[in-house]
Amino acid sequence: RWGLMRNTFSENLTEHSYMTAVLAHALALIRREVLHLEGPDPDRCAVAALYHDASEILTGDLPTPIKYYNPDIKAAYKQVERIAGNRLLEMLPEALRDAYAGYVLEEDEQIIPVVKAADKLSAYIKCIEELKAGNAEFESAAKQSRWRAGAKPGEVVHSSAAEPGQSSLPSVGVAHPDQ
């Protein structure tokens, strides 16, 4: 994810997927248990997050600025990810392929927004960690990640608990219903 930047703390695919899974689980739990909203099962969100970048085992990571440079590149990369995901599924025993397909190919429309929010939150946390370590190279990425995580321009997003009337959670239906 951060291949174009100097990292104080390196992060491999396993570490990133684990953090994203923990965050996806928490976001789905908050949605269900705290906000009492309908939504996907937190356990399924965690599993989906573990596999959300599985295709990168074969493709490697394409930096976000390149991946989303224009719609044609984005569509082509989505196709590459799908081909890689199908290749990974072919490596499994046939009896297990269907059980993994929805996770590896990111097919569950209810789960996708939660996993994407967790992925964005993970990126923002990484930026904050790098900034706290004195790595100013992540300043721009932190602002972009903060915006992608649902913060409005000028809004303060807290890295700990949100203050009353503010949400530090990405906007995937986990914000308080009154907001």
Side-chain angles (χ1 to χ4, degrees):
R1 166 178 281 193
W2 306 105
L4 299 177
M5 301 173 76
R6 179 184 61 81
N7 287 259
T8 304
F9 306 105
S10 63
E11 179 184 66
N12 63 37
L13 180 60
T14 302
E15 293 164 332
H16 166 68
S17 295
Y18 174 77
M19 174 179 257
T20 305
V22 170
L23 293 169
H25 189 258
L27 290 173
L29 273 176
I30 291 166
R31 180 181 175 90
R32 185 181 73 192
E33 302 297 328
V34 176
L35 302 175
H36 308 290
L37 298 172
E38 294 285 326
D41 177 68
D43 297 341
R44 292 190 70 224
C45 290
V47 173
L50 285 173
Y51 292 101
H52 82 284
D53 281 341
S55 64
E56 291 180 9
I57 293 167
L58 298 178
T59 66
D61 184 27
L62 186 63
T64 299
I66 297 167
K67 195 184 304 186
Y68 299 109
Y69 179 72
N70 72 36
D72 292 335
I73 292 173
K74 181 180 177 183
Y77 191 71
K78 287 288 180 194
Q79 185 178 2
V80 168
E81 285 179 321
R82 185 123 187 126
I83 291 167
N86 281 318
R87 178 67 187 112
L88 287 173
L89 291 171
E90 291 169 3
M91 294 177 186
L92 293 171
E94 192 169 336
L96 295 175
R97 290 178 191 165
D98 287 344
Y100 281 93
Y103 298 122
V104 173
L105 301 176
E106 299 182 89
E107 294 177 334
D108 190 320
E109 294 300 322
Q110 263 201 318
I111 290 175
I112 290 169
V114 176
V115 173
K116 289 202 178 299
D119 198 28
K120 292 172 185 177
L121 191 53
S122 170
Y124 183 64
I125 291 168
K126 168 67 173 168
C127 290
I128 297 303
E129 289 173 342
E130 290 289 335
L131 288 172
K132 285 184 177 181
N135 187 352
E137 195 170 327
F138 275 77
E139 195 168 319
S140 174
K143 288 177 187 172
Q144 290 174 2
S145 294
R146 188 174 150 273
W147 175 78
R148 285 188 194 113
K152 295 168 187 68
E155 177 183 13
V156 175
V157 177
H158 300 274
S159 57
S160 59
E163 293 179 3
Q166 292 182 321
S167 174
S168 61
L169 300 174
S171 58
V172 294
V174 291
H176 192 279
D178 296 336
Q179 293 181 353

